[in-house]
PDB file of all heavy atoms in Angstrom:
ATOM      1  N   TYR A1055     -14.716  -7.661   6.584  1.00 98.00           N
ATOM      2  CA  TYR A1055     -14.722  -6.688   5.492  1.00 98.00           C
ATOM      3  C   TYR A1055     -16.117  -6.568   4.888  1.00 98.00           C
ATOM      4  O   TYR A1055     -16.581  -5.462   4.583  1.00 98.00           O
ATOM      5  CB  TYR A1055     -13.689  -7.063   4.433  1.00 98.00           C
ATOM      6  CG  TYR A1055     -12.276  -6.755   4.872  1.00 98.00           C
ATOM      7  CD1 TYR A1055     -11.529  -7.695   5.573  1.00 98.00           C
ATOM      8  CD2 TYR A1055     -11.696  -5.522   4.611  1.00 98.00           C
ATOM      9  CE1 TYR A1055     -10.242  -7.408   6.001  1.00 98.00           C
ATOM     10  CE2 TYR A1055     -10.408  -5.224   5.027  1.00 98.00           C
ATOM     11  CZ  TYR A1055      -9.690  -6.167   5.722  1.00 98.00           C
ATOM     12  OH  TYR A1055      -8.423  -5.877   6.155  1.00 98.00           O
ATOM     13  N   LEU A1056     -16.791  -7.692   4.708  1.00 98.00           N
ATOM     14  CA  LEU A1056     -18.156  -7.650   4.171  1.00 98.00           C
ATOM     15  C   LEU A1056     -19.070  -6.855   5.098  1.00 98.00           C
ATOM     16  O   LEU A1056     -19.929  -6.089   4.642  1.00 98.00           O
ATOM     17  CB  LEU A1056     -18.694  -9.069   3.976  1.00 98.00           C
ATOM     18  CG  LEU A1056     -18.003  -9.898   2.888  1.00 98.00           C
ATOM     19  CD1 LEU A1056     -18.578 -11.318   2.865  1.00 98.00           C
ATOM     20  CD2 LEU A1056     -18.155  -9.242   1.509  1.00 98.00           C
ATOM     21  N   LYS A1057     -18.893  -7.025   6.408  1.00 98.00           N
ATOM     22  CA  LYS A1057     -19.688  -6.259   7.369  1.00 98.00           C
ATOM     23  C   LYS A1057     -19.366  -4.772   7.252  1.00 98.00           C
ATOM     24  O   LYS A1057     -20.262  -3.931   7.303  1.00 98.00           O
ATOM     25  CB  LYS A1057     -19.439  -6.734   8.803  1.00 98.00           C
ATOM     26  CG  LYS A1057     -20.006  -8.098   9.106  1.00 98.00           C
ATOM     27  CD  LYS A1057     -19.963  -8.415  10.580  1.00 98.00           C
ATOM     28  CE  LYS A1057     -21.054  -7.682  11.328  1.00 98.00           C
ATOM     29  NZ  LYS A1057     -22.415  -8.134  10.980  1.00 98.00           N
ATOM     30  N   PHE A1058     -18.075  -4.447   7.085  1.00 98.00           N
ATOM     31  CA  PHE A1058     -17.698  -3.037   6.932  1.00 98.00           C
ATOM     32  C   PHE A1058     -18.364  -2.426   5.696  1.00 98.00           C
ATOM     33  O   PHE A1058     -18.940  -1.340   5.773  1.00 98.00           O
ATOM     34  CB  PHE A1058     -16.177  -2.876   6.837  1.00 98.00           C
ATOM     35  CG  PHE A1058     -15.773  -1.448   6.621  1.00 98.00           C
ATOM     36  CD1 PHE A1058     -15.607  -0.592   7.703  1.00 98.00           C
ATOM     37  CD2 PHE A1058     -15.588  -0.940   5.340  1.00 98.00           C
ATOM     38  CE1 PHE A1058     -15.277   0.736   7.512  1.00 98.00           C
ATOM     39  CE2 PHE A1058     -15.255   0.385   5.135  1.00 98.00           C
ATOM     40  CZ  PHE A1058     -15.098   1.230   6.228  1.00 98.00           C
ATOM     41  N   TYR A1059     -18.279  -3.117   4.548  1.00 98.00           N
ATOM     42  CA  TYR A1059     -18.877  -2.577   3.324  1.00 98.00           C
ATOM     43  C   TYR A1059     -20.382  -2.360   3.508  1.00 98.00           C
ATOM     44  O   TYR A1059     -20.939  -1.357   3.034  1.00 98.00           O
ATOM     45  CB  TYR A1059     -18.656  -3.518   2.132  1.00 98.00           C
ATOM     46  CG  TYR A1059     -17.230  -3.954   1.884  1.00 98.00           C
ATOM     47  CD1 TYR A1059     -16.951  -5.248   1.438  1.00 98.00           C
ATOM     48  CD2 TYR A1059     -16.149  -3.091   2.088  1.00 98.00           C
ATOM     49  CE1 TYR A1059     -15.656  -5.664   1.199  1.00 98.00           C
ATOM     50  CE2 TYR A1059     -14.852  -3.510   1.853  1.00 98.00           C
ATOM     51  CZ  TYR A1059     -14.609  -4.797   1.407  1.00 98.00           C
ATOM     52  OH  TYR A1059     -13.322  -5.223   1.177  1.00 98.00           O
ATOM     53  N   GLU A1060     -21.031  -3.301   4.170  1.00 98.00           N
ATOM     54  CA  GLU A1060     -22.481  -3.210   4.402  1.00 98.00           C
ATOM     55  C   GLU A1060     -22.818  -1.992   5.259  1.00 98.00           C
ATOM     56  O   GLU A1060     -23.717  -1.215   4.929  1.00 98.00           O
ATOM     57  CB  GLU A1060     -22.961  -4.495   5.086  1.00 98.00           C
ATOM     58  CG  GLU A1060     -24.435  -4.524   5.415  1.00 98.00           C
ATOM     59  CD  GLU A1060     -24.812  -5.775   6.199  1.00 98.00           C
ATOM     60  OE1 GLU A1060     -24.073  -6.775   6.137  1.00 98.00           O
ATOM     61  OE2 GLU A1060     -25.850  -5.736   6.882  1.00 98.00           O
ATOM     62  N   TYR A1061     -22.089  -1.813   6.354  1.00 98.00           N
ATOM     63  CA  TYR A1061     -22.333  -0.665   7.222  1.00 98.00           C
ATOM     64  C   TYR A1061     -21.981   0.642   6.512  1.00 98.00           C
ATOM     65  O   TYR A1061     -22.667   1.671   6.690  1.00 98.00           O
ATOM     66  CB  TYR A1061     -21.528  -0.785   8.516  1.00 98.00           C
ATOM     67  CG  TYR A1061     -22.095  -1.746   9.516  1.00 98.00           C
ATOM     68  CD1 TYR A1061     -21.291  -2.733  10.095  1.00 98.00           C
ATOM     69  CD2 TYR A1061     -23.421  -1.671   9.942  1.00 98.00           C
ATOM     70  CE1 TYR A1061     -21.800  -3.621  11.042  1.00 98.00           C
ATOM     71  CE2 TYR A1061     -23.935  -2.554  10.886  1.00 98.00           C
ATOM     72  CZ  TYR A1061     -23.117  -3.511  11.433  1.00 98.00           C
ATOM     73  OH  TYR A1061     -23.620  -4.377  12.374  1.00 98.00           O
ATOM     74  N   TYR A1062     -20.915   0.636   5.738  1.00 98.00           N
ATOM     75  CA  TYR A1062     -20.498   1.836   5.001  1.00 98.00           C
ATOM     76  C   TYR A1062     -21.605   2.266   4.027  1.00 98.00           C
ATOM     77  O   TYR A1062     -21.956   3.448   3.957  1.00 98.00           O
ATOM     78  CB  TYR A1062     -19.196   1.553   4.260  1.00 98.00           C
ATOM     79  CG  TYR A1062     -18.658   2.736   3.484  1.00 98.00           C
ATOM     80  CD1 TYR A1062     -18.198   3.871   4.143  1.00 98.00           C
ATOM     81  CD2 TYR A1062     -18.601   2.711   2.095  1.00 98.00           C
ATOM     82  CE1 TYR A1062     -17.701   4.956   3.434  1.00 98.00           C
ATOM     83  CE2 TYR A1062     -18.100   3.783   1.381  1.00 98.00           C
ATOM     84  CZ  TYR A1062     -17.649   4.904   2.053  1.00 98.00           C
ATOM     85  OH  TYR A1062     -17.162   5.979   1.337  1.00 98.00           O
TER      86      TYR A1062
END
Side-chain angles (χ1 to χ4, degrees):
Y1055 285 89
L1056 293 176
K1057 290 191 76 67
F1058 178 86
Y1059 308 143
E1060 179 185 338
Y1061 283 129
Y1062 181 67

